[in-house]
Amino acid sequence: MAYPAGGTDNVLLFTDSYKVSHHMQYPPNTTVVCSYFESRGGKFPSTVFFGLQYLLKRWLVGPVITKEKIEEARELYQQHFGRELFNVEGWTYIVEKHKGYLPLRIKAVPEGSVVPYKNVLLTVENTDPKCFWLTNYFETMFVQVWYPMTVATNSYYQKGIIAKYLDETADSVDGLPFKLHDFGFRGSTSMEATGIGGMAHLVNFMGTDTIAALATAKTFYGCKMAGFSIPAAEHSTITTWGREGEMEAFKNMLTKFPEGLMACVSDSYDIFNACEKLWGEDLKDMIIERGSRGGVLVIRPDSGDPPVIVVQVLDILGKKFGTTTNSKGYKVLPPYLRIIQGDGISYETISPILENMKKHEWSADNIAFGSGGALLQRVDRDTQKCAFKCSYAVINGKEVNVFKEPITDMGKKSKKGRLTLECADGEWTTIQEGKGDPKKDTMITVFENGKLLRDYTFDEVRENAEIDLVKRKKRK
Ligand SMILES: O=C1OCCC/C1=C\Nc1ccccc1
């Protein structure tokens, strides 16, 4: 790989500078350090645990430490610090004694699990007493699981909102998997990040334009095709026809894509004229004929106040193409006509849109959403307050419960001792100080001494993360 992301593939360089000297800072005769990861709270009451497997496979599985990498790191850290701080002896021991496989044990709750905050989600401990310093060296990397977790969580809660409105205003929730489409590729920070975030959204949905998510889900979760999309216009393919040519541009879309779903952005000049006249009169017969072959035209407004514009567009289209009333008493456009709102969509704005539609007696069946920046980017580590802390150690052969309890912020108090995570009838409980029953621990060993012990399929992850409303309906 000529230009690897981050400039190198040397895992020894993927940590915070201060950690390089931490091997010199633990008490003498420390033989075990055990740390855990949790969401301490935040925007959403529960967190979808997702993405650890990506990090393990990308960075930690296999003989990842070599003498060459140690030498490269020693050289770099000598220049970075201006003194010898890097644990050459410790890392060389790992190459010589463990053939470069990391002597760590990582336990984690199954991927896709939806766990209320303040519960342990994963634990890391060293398996070789000489490598006590190794546990927290990779904290930096482990904590980066905040990103796929938080994207999956934000997406999950939007799924819940859409499902609620479908349940209230549509004949079924069957269309749910395609109701929130990922528009976020360009707003992501890098190709790697967009692949991770795009994949995280697909834990909950099946619609995406973030192609990078497909290869990421395939490589790291064995999913052959994690998401789907359809032919869709962008402004340039409409505006190049000129303002006078907009009807021709629309007709071209209907002609070139005579079957299946096709989306056409229609707000280049005047969305109301586009719906009233171009779609509603000039091209009406073509749309209906296309519909007789199962074609569906998806009209896309892309500006205006979302809750208002959506109802305005639906009202015009309803007047022009007619509507039926479904089993819940709400209006539905003909099956060959739908709309998609991809502007200004986020967890905060989906409800007002669907609520206004409901108020005007429109079923949620009529609409799909596209979300970009809010879906993949408007999150950070504090959204769910993700943290990694040491809770247990063995020093001079004595077990020690390790914790922090800052008088200046008790919200940052950390858990003590060996932790287990139990789940009985959907109730999750973290048991501290080694008082839990290991047999009831829902966290399983996914990584040990460089080997991946559990390889989750994307289907398993999706099943674990399925929302209750859908689970209830599947049981019936
Ligand atoms: O507008 C966009 O911004 C950037 C991402 C893609 C995109 C639209 N795509 C699309 C897909 C399926 C139905 C409708 C639109």
Side-chain angles (χ1 to χ4, degrees):
M1 201 188 314
Y3 295 103
T8 172
D9 258 332
N10 184 346
V11 70
L12 294 168
L13 303 177
F14 285 84
T15 192
D16 304 293
S17 300
Y18 76 156
K19 289 188 173 292
V20 174
S21 66
H22 286 174
H23 66 101
M24 301 156 73
Q25 302 180 24
Y26 286 95
N29 307 314
T30 299
T31 52
V32 176
V33 168
C34 183
S35 298
Y36 76 97
F37 177 88
E38 69 172 320
S39 156
R40 287 203 317 267
K43 180 171 182 178
F44 301 107
S46 292
T47 299
V48 179
F49 181 72
F50 174 68
L52 175 65
Q53 186 163 294
Y54 170 86
L55 289 169
L56 296 178
K57 286 184 177 181
R58 176 70 184 80
W59 296 107
L60 303 181
V61 169
V64 295
I65 310 299
T66 65
K67 287 206 184 300
E68 295 71 28
K69 288 179 179 177
I70 295 171
E71 185 44 36
E72 179 188 26
R74 192 197 56 72
E75 174 64 28
L76 181 141
Y77 289 133
Q78 171 60 40
Q79 291 174 33
H80 179 59
F81 293 108
R83 47 186 142 160
E84 287 288 340
L85 295 175
F86 183 53
N87 190 4
V88 175
E89 186 192 337
W91 289 108
T92 303
Y93 170 80
I94 287 175
V95 170
E96 290 173 352
K97 179 81 176 343
H98 298 281
K99 298 183 181 41
Y101 289 82
L102 293 168
L104 291 175
R105 178 177 300 114
I106 301 166
K107 296 183 180 180
V109 70
E111 296 234 2
S113 300
V114 184
V115 185
Y117 59 63
K118 283 206 173 307
N119 277 295
V120 60
L121 298 173
L122 73 89
T123 61
V124 185
E125 63 192 295
N126 57 296
T127 56
D128 181 324
K130 289 178 69 68
C131 301
F132 60 89
W133 51 270
L134 183 60
T135 304
N136 275 33
Y137 192 90
F138 292 116
E139 167 186 0
T140 317
M141 181 180 293
F142 289 125
V143 173
Q144 286 198 340
V145 80
W146 78 261
Y147 178 60
M149 249 176 56
T150 306
V151 169
T153 301
N154 179 42
S155 165
Y156 171 87
Y157 278 93
Q158 290 177 84
K159 184 175 184 178
I161 293 173
I162 298 168
K164 177 175 88 81
Y165 279 93
L166 283 174
D167 199 32
E168 286 169 5
T169 70
D171 284 339
S172 85
V173 296
D174 294 350
L176 184 56
F178 289 93
K179 285 292 190 184
L180 182 58
H181 203 92
D182 180 352
F183 281 11
F185 203 151
R186 64 192 61 181
S188 294
T189 50
S190 66
M191 291 304 166
E192 183 185 16
T194 203
I196 295 166
M199 173 176 65
H201 169 64
L202 291 174
V203 166
N204 304 300
F205 289 94
M206 304 283 275
T208 186
D209 265 31
T210 301
I211 290 174
L214 306 177
T216 307
K218 184 172 180 184
T219 303
F220 294 94
Y221 288 83
C223 184
K224 279 190 287 297
M225 184 44 64
F228 303 89
S229 191
I230 63 173
E234 68 171 29
H235 286 103
S236 80
T237 65
I238 304 298
T239 54
T240 42
W241 296 70
R243 178 188 276 268
E244 300 316 310
E246 191 176 28
M247 197 279 281
E248 283 306 314
F250 287 179
K251 183 188 271 188
N252 182 64
M253 289 298 287
L254 293 170
T255 310
K256 294 286 175 53
F257 308 102
E259 302 189 349
L261 284 134
M262 173 275 284
C264 189
V265 66
S266 301
D267 75 323
S268 302
Y269 309 105
D270 179 346
I271 180 78
F272 307 115
N273 173 60
C275 294
E276 188 85 38
K277 212 171 152 329
L278 308 185
W279 296 124
E281 291 168 18
D282 302 347
L283 298 168
K284 179 175 178 182
D285 295 342
M286 268 188 85
I287 294 166
I288 294 171
E289 194 280 330
R290 193 172 170 275
S292 69
R293 281 179 281 108
V296 180
L297 168 64
V298 184
I299 293 175
R300 180 150 81 101
D302 198 37
S303 50
D305 179 24
V308 173
I309 195 73
V310 160
V311 167
Q312 286 174 316
V313 166
L314 287 169
D315 284 348
I316 295 169
L317 296 176
K319 189 173 65 190
K320 289 293 179 181
F321 290 90
T323 62
T324 57
T325 300
N326 67 16
S327 64
K328 306 283 174 61
Y330 289 87
K331 289 177 286 185
V332 186
L333 291 171
Y336 54 74
L337 191 55
R338 289 290 182 267
I339 69 170
I340 182 166
Q341 173 69 27
D343 176 57
I345 297 304
S346 68
Y347 171 76
E348 286 75 16
T349 64
I350 280 190
S351 300
I353 294 168
L354 289 170
E355 192 54 38
N356 199 37
M357 283 174 63
K358 185 178 170 187
K359 208 168 99 203
H360 291 81
E361 298 175 2
W362 284 104
S363 166
D365 246 349
N366 293 288
I367 193 169
F369 298 100
S371 183
L375 188 71
L376 300 189
Q377 206 58 37
R378 202 179 302 151
V379 287
D380 62 30
R381 185 166 72 91
D382 282 344
T383 304
Q384 293 299 97
K385 294 190 179 351
C386 294
F388 185 92
K389 284 289 166 291
C390 174
S391 66
Y392 170 89
V394 175
I395 301 168
N396 286 314
K398 255 169 59 35
E399 295 189 296
V400 184
N401 286 339
V402 177
F403 63 96
K404 65 182 278 193
E405 203 169 286
I407 55 167
T408 37
D409 182 354
M410 291 309 263
K412 291 192 171 189
K413 185 167 77 170
S414 71
K415 300 182 189 298
K416 303 177 181 173
R418 283 201 172 282
L419 308 174
T420 51
L421 177 66
E422 296 191 10
C423 183
D425 306 323
E427 289 297 312
W428 297 86
T429 316
T430 296
I431 304 185
Q432 306 189 39
E433 302 191 40
K435 292 177 177 142
D437 175 354
K439 286 194 299 304
K440 290 185 186 166
D441 192 357
T442 60
M443 292 192 290
I444 63 162
T445 305
V446 291
F447 176 101
E448 191 162 282
N449 299 335
K451 305 270 191 326
L452 188 76
L453 303 187
R454 183 69 164 79
D455 195 340
Y456 290 98
T457 65
F458 212 57
D459 287 346
E460 284 178 295
V461 177
R462 282 173 156 162
E463 201 177 315
N464 290 339
E466 188 50 271
I467 62 171
D468 292 341
L469 192 151
V470 171
K471 279 179 181 168
R472 278 200 303 275
K473 288 187 178 301
K474 276 182 183 160
R475 269 200 293 273
K476 277 180 186 154

